[in-house]
Amino acid sequence: MKKIFYFLILLTTIKSLGQIPQSGIYNELILVRNETNKTIDGYFNSSTGNGQISCIYEFKGTFKTLNDKKISVTAFWQDDDEIITGELICKEGNKFLLKFSEPLLGDMACGGVSQSGAEFEMTKQKNWKEIRIAKTEKTYFYKEPKISTKRKAYITDLDAVGVIEEKGEWILVDFNGSKLTTGWIKKSDLYKKK
């Protein structure tokens, strides 16, 4: 009986330390946890002053186990070679703290992520495979992976999507805008994974 009691205490303690956050939406941030490759990828997009000051960055890191408490990450931009180091600190219940070693471009809109860090909490869980970024002025959604099924909905340059499935030259994605939009996008309209 004592062994079971100690095991339950140990299990509760491990759970309270936090776990690598799951794939999903964390307000202005989308995150993908790839358990096969043991990688974590994120994309943050926020602005202040009616869009006058923007903060957009991607980050990635690797983990050893799902119970890692901290992950070293690097922030980068699709069209730039500069990287900034940082860390993702796991908390209980799909929450994490993200902070970087130096200010990010547009840091006023970044919610203080480069000083003491910013905390993120999941608002919607998703089963994405990766994050991809739009590279065209208008990247249209399609109902099916066919050019004849073009919709009115589109995303713009540097918007991020969560990848659900790939089929030839098409990718089924989610976009977290004013509402969640799901549809097919031409692979050629997205940056290759960095």
Side-chain angles (χ1 to χ4, degrees), residues 20 23 32-41 61-66 128-129:
I20 304 297
S23 298
V32 171
R33 177 178 83 186
N34 184 318
E35 293 179 35
T36 304
N37 298 334
K38 297 197 181 297
T39 58
I40 194 143
D41 296 295
T62 58
F63 57 90
K64 293 178 183 169
T65 73
L66 290 177
W128 295 322
K129 297 178 180 186

Side-chain angles (χ1 to χ4, degrees), residues 93-159:
N94 277 315
K95 295 180 189 174
F96 63 90
L97 182 73
L98 184 63
K99 59 183 177 178
F100 293 101
S101 59
E102 57 187 271
L104 300 165
L105 188 62
D107 194 48
M108 285 174 43
C110 288
V113 72
S114 59
Q115 288 88 29
S116 58
E119 189 167 300
F120 295 92
E121 182 173 0
M122 179 185 282
T123 55
K124 185 163 187 135
Q125 184 176 349
K126 299 301 287 180
N127 291 317
W128 295 322
K129 297 178 180 186
E130 65 180 6
I131 295 171
R132 297 290 290 273
I133 312 299
K135 67 177 182 179
T136 60
E137 191 174 313
K138 287 186 177 181
T139 299
Y140 284 93
F141 284 89
Y142 295 79
K143 292 178 186 174
E144 299 173 37
K146 297 177 187 171
I147 204 78
S148 62
T149 64
K150 186 176 182 180
R151 296 166 46 189
K152 290 180 182 179
Y154 65 87
I155 56 175
T156 60
D157 185 34
L158 298 181
D159 281 339

